[in-house]
Amino acid sequence: MKSFFMTGIIGLMFLSCMQQSREKVGNASTFTASTGGVKLIVLAPGHFHANLLQKSTMSQVSDSVYVYAASPEDAGLKQYLSAIESFNTRAGNPTTWQTVVYTGDDFLHNMIAEKKGNVLVLAGNNKEKTEYILKAVDAGLNVLSDKPMAINREDFLLLEAAYKEAESKDVKLYDMMTERYDMLNIIEKELINSPDLFGELQQGTPEDPAVYMESVHHFYKEVSGTPLIRPAWYYDVEQQGEGVADVTTHLIDLLFWKCFPGQSIDYTRDIGNISSTHWATEITLPQFTKSTGETAFPDYLQKYIDNAVLKVYANGTLQFDVKNRNIGLKVIWNYQAPEGSGDTFMSVVKGTKAILKTVQDKEQGFVKQLYLQQSDGLDESEFSENLQKTIKKIQTTYPFVSALPTSHKGEYLIDIPIESREGHESHFKYVAESFFNYLGTRDMPEWEVPNTLSKYYITTKAVEVANE
């Protein structure tokens, strides 16, 4: 079954002009940096990240957005359209998106045949995402994709082919790495790259890595008192991906971005000694129902069920080395956080002069805080002087940052006031604007592509190793 419908301000009047529009945008994939030069296509939206790109108006982006999905009853499509409608009708700074929606089993074919826009947005089920990417760049479309872009070895090979095809077609493929726009991460990067203060990144060992990050998430959570409903496929590692193929994409991206800034990382020579483990989170049917609204486990989950309990391999450890520095990562997905708690995070980055720690736990009110610890054997007064010089330099761009001594000797809280930190949702706009600017200026950093491929080489290899 196929259908064509619209939402937005100009509705039926626009629909009557669609045939003329097809003729006018025959060269839609050609990007111009002018106002409205970006024409978005959204394919099979299945994650709320798809609509977050449109939470604010962007001058580069045309108000007309073309959406393709398999069915008008698709839950992801309904959620996407509902969110866009809320942006258009809110009291403050409403957007003016005009959404043209096509649904039908041939939605992918139709999207490529019509090629109504020049930037494809992907955020949803990950099982076919890499194939969508490859077909889109083959059709001459730029692609802005939510993570993960690949969840297994076969996907990685497709992604590698997609980047080669994108280069030959002179289009760009970009990963939505929102964490680069988090103020704490920005300040930590500044500190890591202050050699007088931080020194150099240690080499570390597999048992005591130079960089260690641990991230704890929860399948079921409530936002403002309302349960976050997840699609049933979120519990299928063949559709969502294992934990070491999903959350770790952000962690590895931050590692490259902070510790090796401006450097291209080639997975064929700079990455080695990948090892990993994985284990399951056990989900009962009542828990599954509470999280998804589904009253039974779908057929595709039956192979993961043991004694009426669903086993989701969302947890894992990952070790590797990059440019001879040892790295350790750990991802945990529990079903639900204990009362009064939430997601947690911690990281340790070890320099020869200082150690940086990020902690998000009960003591911090589940808000990430950054600490700097003087390394043993250093002169205290010299360290303090270098810290003040570094903070003063940072303050020229970020005047709200300061360093406050804690009760632990040689340790400082790098104070970044909450009011100076924007929320996660605002970061999507910055990612999009950066990508759109790259399309106009054609000056995307040379390290973006090799580092993205190295990231997905690590994560998909880790899945392969864990399953052995």
Side-chain angles (χ1 to χ4, degrees), residues 63-270:
D63 280 347
S64 297
V65 179
Y66 299 86
V67 185
Y68 295 81
S71 167
E73 299 306 313
D74 182 84
L77 175 62
K78 287 183 175 181
Q79 186 276 332
Y80 168 83
L81 293 175
S82 176
I84 299 303
E85 181 67 15
S86 72
F87 300 157
N88 280 346
T89 57
R90 67 191 175 205
N93 298 315
T95 53
T96 55
W97 303 113
Q98 301 153 12
T99 309
V100 184
V101 182
Y102 176 89
T103 59
D105 294 339
D106 61 346
F107 69 97
L108 176 62
H109 171 81
N110 207 57
M111 182 275 290
I112 291 173
E114 292 194 335
K115 205 157 70 170
K116 289 287 188 177
N118 48 31
V119 175
L120 177 66
V121 174
L122 287 170
N125 191 309
N126 300 313
K127 186 175 183 178
E128 296 177 324
K129 183 187 287 180
T130 322
E131 182 183 350
Y132 292 163
I133 290 171
L134 180 57
K135 289 185 176 180
V137 297
D138 184 57
L141 290 168
N142 302 288
V143 178
L144 178 58
S145 176
D146 192 26
K147 63 83 184 168
M149 296 167 73
I151 60 174
N152 54 47
R153 176 65 176 171
E154 293 75 17
D155 285 351
F156 173 74
L157 296 176
L158 286 178
L159 185 63
E160 197 168 36
Y163 271 108
K164 291 178 181 177
E165 185 68 10
E167 184 177 10
S168 70
K169 292 293 177 68
D170 194 28
V171 294
K172 300 296 182 186
L173 171 55
Y174 200 62
D175 203 1
M176 287 187 212
M177 290 290 101
T178 52
E179 292 297 315
R180 297 182 195 176
Y181 298 89
D182 182 285
M183 186 53 64
L184 185 144
N185 291 326
I186 291 170
I187 300 305
E188 185 178 24
K189 181 182 181 183
E190 293 281 339
L191 295 169
I192 290 172
N193 291 282
S194 301
D196 289 343
L197 176 66
F198 182 77
E200 297 179 353
L201 184 65
Q202 294 183 22
Q203 183 173 348
T205 65
E207 298 74 27
D208 185 20
V211 178
Y212 178 78
M213 290 183 264
E214 182 175 309
S215 184
V216 180
H217 299 265
H218 300 90
F219 283 111
Y220 179 82
K221 60 182 69 175
E222 293 186 359
V223 181
S224 301
T226 302
L228 174 63
I229 300 299
R230 298 190 187 275
W233 58 257
Y234 199 86
Y235 288 88
D236 182 3
V237 294
E238 291 185 8
Q239 297 186 67
Q240 173 60 24
E242 292 201 19
V244 292
D246 182 12
V247 177
T248 53
T249 55
H250 278 304
L251 305 184
I252 298 171
D253 185 78
L254 288 175
L255 165 72
F256 292 170
W257 181 71
K258 292 177 184 178
C259 298
F260 305 94
Q263 299 181 47
S264 291
I265 296 172
D266 183 340
Y267 75 85
T268 65
R269 65 167 186 264
D270 295 327

Side-chain angles (χ1 to χ4, degrees), residues 268-415:
T268 65
R269 65 167 186 264
D270 295 327
I271 304 297
N273 298 313
I274 297 174
S275 63
S276 61
T277 64
H278 69 171
W279 64 97
T281 300
E282 296 189 344
I283 308 291
T284 65
L285 181 56
Q287 289 175 327
F288 182 78
T289 299
K290 189 177 180 181
S291 173
T292 65
E294 302 285 344
T295 57
F297 291 124
D299 289 343
Y300 55 77
L301 290 178
Q302 292 300 318
K303 61 184 175 182
Y304 306 117
I305 295 173
D306 183 16
N307 292 324
V309 174
L310 175 65
K311 293 189 174 183
V312 186
Y313 280 85
N315 313 287
T317 64
L318 170 55
Q319 291 182 316
F320 61 97
D321 58 66
V322 52
K323 294 184 180 288
N324 297 315
R325 266 73 169 193
N326 285 277
I327 312 299
L329 307 176
K330 187 176 185 179
V331 174
I332 296 173
W333 277 86
N334 297 320
Y335 175 70
Q336 186 174 3
E339 186 70 28
S341 63
D343 292 352
T344 62
F345 176 80
M346 67 88 64
S347 75
V348 180
V349 183
K350 298 179 180 179
T352 52
K353 297 181 180 179
I355 297 172
L356 282 160
K357 297 179 181 179
T358 300
V359 184
Q360 177 189 15
D361 213 330
K362 186 175 182 179
E363 185 179 340
Q364 292 74 31
F366 301 100
V367 175
K368 287 182 182 178
Q369 299 291 1
L370 178 61
Y371 300 90
L372 179 73
Q373 175 69 54
Q374 175 185 335
S375 294
D376 294 336
L378 293 182
D379 180 83
E380 261 186 74
S381 60
E382 182 181 351
F383 181 82
S384 178
E385 182 180 348
N386 285 330
L387 174 58
Q388 297 309 315
K389 286 180 180 178
T390 302
I391 293 297
K392 188 174 181 179
K393 182 180 178 182
I394 290 173
Q395 286 173 338
T396 59
T397 306
Y398 309 103
F400 46 81
V401 176
S402 61
L404 307 175
T406 72
S407 58
H408 301 287
K409 184 179 180 181
E411 183 185 73
Y412 296 81
L413 167 68
I414 305 303
D415 189 30

